[in-house]
Amino acid sequence: MKRQTLYLAMLSVIGSILIAPAALADKKPKSPHKFKGNVELRLSSNTNIKVAASSSDNFDLASFADFAEAKAKLGDSDDEDDEDDEDDEDDDFGDDDFDDIGFDDAELSEEDFQFLVDDDDGDGNEDDPDDDGEDGDDGDDGDTGSDSKRLASSDDDLERLVNAVLEDKMAQSTSSKLNRWSAQVGFGHKYAFEGGMVVWGSSFRGVGDFHNGKNNLDKSNFAVSTGPEFIWKDAGFKLKPAISYLSVRQDGNSIVSTYIGTLAASYDVSKTFSIDGVYNYQNRDVQDPDSPDAIVNTLTFGADWTLSKNDIIKAKYSPKVEDSSLVTKNKDVTGFGFSYSRKLPWEMILGLGVKQDNLDFKNLAVRREDDVRAYTVNLAKEWSKSLESELAWSRRELDSNIQTKDAVNRSWMLSVNYKF
């Protein structure tokens, strides 16, 4: 009996010696590097591109990654073991909260783009060099400009002027209807230092916009961003400084370049509630010597509520100050945003969003204040871990104290995004 026991013990030891290396070989050590990328195609239809997007081109809706994180936090994950292992490995690299840091504020809206080329009529071309870009006309800013006419003319002259401006506005609105194809490619890399507390991330994004029938509006841009991310997992706190650069090109020439310094932080108050803050300093350099450069300071505060594994609410408050080298281009913007996202069956998400920006244009001869309200209904579908599609409708309303500036834009958007 003792001999049999000793024999079995010897077999166990020998077996362990033979099997252990094979088992260790199956479990490969984690790499400190993580690479990812995406390719996106988007078709959008706009009835009036002269109405700038509110806050940014994108509403802050919950993504499939947000719902996966919510499911994990609430301890109701049905994923397989191999997927859990993959999530554990991703923990070493933080999450995707800061992947787009610097990019959103770097990208120029339609209003910013037209603003830079002084394009009142929306055709993508430079207007009269003497036009101030604010009064909606192509007249000089001297005594013969339409603003001075509006202030000093008789009632009959004023009526004729208003009618002419309204007719011009209708023509501009009609001419600004167009469809746009956008193609985007993105690459990202993260390196996790030993211990997992510090991760260095770098990103690249290239975008091309192509307009049917208005090739002079076609433009492209690329942006790069890099910086460390400090992660205190036990405290639920993350901090990320970053430096970004964006270049906008048109007709093969660089027209705008901008540098962005960013400091972002987020804190998990609880499993279901988190807050974040982002400060962006942007130095915008316009290549045209006749167009103004600008310094833009943006501060954004956000909050996320996970109501359940299928319901997420997000809120955002964002003041922005733009100081231009031409003082009549200075403006202050205060933005608010709110969204509700619902995870549906069939791997779908329904998102509802609303935003409002209050714009105060500084140092103009005639004071101008705009309110831009935006609404969206968004439906996203995850076909696989790598392939997603999105269908959205949005409406943007510009309400200005200058009546001729009032406008509405309705748009549809369809996109397909492949991640690798």
Side-chain angles (χ1 to χ4, degrees):
M1 182 70 177
K2 292 181 179 180
R3 184 175 297 178
Q4 292 177 348
T5 302
L6 182 60
Y7 177 71
L8 291 174
M10 290 177 63
L11 287 178
S12 299
V13 172
I14 294 173
S16 298
I17 293 174
L18 295 175
I19 295 174
L24 292 174
D26 292 338
K27 188 175 182 180
K28 298 179 181 179
K30 294 180 180 179
S31 171
H33 298 277
K34 180 182 178 182
F35 299 89
K36 67 175 184 178
N38 79 292
V39 176
E40 182 182 49
L41 294 177
R42 175 178 298 188
L43 172 63
S44 58
S45 174
N46 293 277
T47 60
N48 187 355
I49 64 171
K50 287 179 65 62
V51 184
S54 177
S55 300
S56 68
D57 286 338
N58 298 316
F59 287 83
D60 191 16
L61 302 172
S63 65
F64 289 99
D66 291 328
F67 281 104
E69 183 179 354
K71 195 173 183 180
K73 284 183 177 179
L74 296 177
D76 189 16
S77 178
D78 299 327
D79 296 337
E80 299 295 333
D81 292 339
D82 56 346
E83 294 181 353
D84 290 338
D85 293 340
E86 183 179 350
D87 291 338
D88 292 340
E89 183 176 347
D90 289 342
D91 288 341
D92 295 336
F93 298 93
D95 50 37
D96 296 334
D97 289 347
F98 297 142
D99 280 4
D100 293 330
I101 285 298
F103 284 167
D104 287 341
D105 278 303
E107 292 180 349
L108 304 178
S109 69
E110 289 297 334
E111 180 189 65
D112 289 326
F113 184 71
Q114 294 168 3
F115 216 30
L116 294 170
V117 298
D118 198 11
D119 178 25
D120 274 339
D121 56 12
D123 65 357
N125 294 323
E126 187 82 10
D127 291 332
D128 188 327
D130 292 327
D131 180 23
D132 64 5
E134 292 295 338
D135 55 13
D137 69 89
D138 289 329
D140 293 338
D141 293 328
D143 295 336
T144 58
S146 68
D147 283 336
S148 60
K149 288 181 182 179
R150 181 164 56 230
L151 296 175
S153 61
S154 66
D155 291 342
D156 292 339
D157 291 337
L158 180 61
E159 183 178 358
R160 285 194 296 270
L161 174 64
V162 170
N163 290 337
V165 170
L166 291 177
E167 291 175 0
D168 290 342
K169 179 184 173 185
M170 292 179 62
Q172 292 170 16
S173 177
T174 302
S175 65
S176 63
K177 294 180 179 179
L178 53 81
N179 296 327
R180 171 195 290 172
W181 282 98
S182 297
Q184 173 182 301
V185 59
F187 299 98
H189 168 258
K190 288 184 178 182
Y191 179 86
F193 291 89
E194 187 174 356
M197 180 180 174
V198 181
V199 176
W200 193 284
S202 300
S203 302
F204 167 85
R205 177 188 294 176
V207 182
D209 294 325
F210 311 96
H211 302 76
N212 295 341
K214 284 194 174 184
N215 295 333
N216 56 345
L217 287 179
D218 293 351
K219 62 182 183 293
S220 62
N221 69 71
F222 74 88
V224 292
S225 181
T226 186
E229 182 176 347
F230 303 94
I231 305 169
W232 290 268
K233 294 181 181 179
D234 295 337
F237 181 74
K238 295 187 287 290
L239 181 70
K240 182 177 178 64
I243 297 176
S244 307
Y245 172 78
L246 171 81
S247 176
V248 181
R249 303 180 67 86
Q250 186 183 36
D251 293 332
N253 300 313
S254 177
I255 60 172
V256 184
S257 61
T258 180
Y259 293 89
I260 307 99
T262 303
L263 181 62
S266 67
Y267 175 63
D268 294 331
V269 179
S270 67
K271 288 185 177 181
T272 59
F273 180 70
S274 64
I275 56 176
D276 59 75
V278 180
Y279 168 71
N280 272 314
Y281 171 86
Q282 181 180 165
N283 189 339
R284 183 183 297 169
D285 179 22
V286 182
Q287 307 302 320
D288 186 348
D290 296 328
S291 296
D293 300 332
I295 299 295
V296 185
N297 288 275
T298 306
L299 186 59
T300 302
F301 300 97
D304 292 11
W305 291 271
T306 302
L307 302 181
S308 72
K309 65 180 182 180
N310 293 323
D311 301 275
I312 295 178
I313 291 177
K314 295 189 177 188
K316 180 188 294 184
Y317 167 71
S318 181
K320 180 168 66 174
V321 177
E322 182 171 325
D323 295 320
S324 173
S325 58
L326 182 62
V327 295
T328 56
K329 302 292 187 179
N330 290 355
K331 62 180 176 180
D332 294 347
V333 183
T334 303
F336 305 87
F338 180 85
S339 70
Y340 166 73
S341 300
R342 170 73 178 179
K343 181 71 181 298
L344 303 176
W346 315 292
E347 298 301 326
M348 299 178 71
I349 297 175
L350 174 64
L352 306 174
V354 58
K355 294 187 297 187
Q356 175 162 325
D357 281 354
N358 302 318
L359 290 79
D360 185 6
F361 295 85
K362 302 293 186 179
N363 304 315
L364 296 179
V366 177
R367 186 171 181 81
R368 177 182 173 186
E369 294 180 348
D370 292 353
D371 292 330
V372 181
R373 289 178 294 274
Y375 315 89
T376 190
V377 179
N378 184 290
L379 187 64
K381 165 68 176 175
E382 185 179 57
W383 302 94
S384 68
K385 293 299 181 182
S386 300
L387 185 63
E388 298 176 7
S389 62
E390 191 175 336
L391 177 64
W393 172 88
S394 63
R395 176 186 173 92
R396 297 198 300 271
E397 303 173 352
L398 191 157
D399 182 14
S400 177
N401 65 316
I402 300 177
Q403 186 175 3
T404 56
K405 293 293 183 181
D406 294 349
V408 175
N409 177 29
R410 291 174 293 274
S411 63
W412 288 92
M413 187 275 294
L414 175 65
S415 69
V416 177
N417 187 12
Y418 176 75
K419 298 180 293 184
F420 55 90

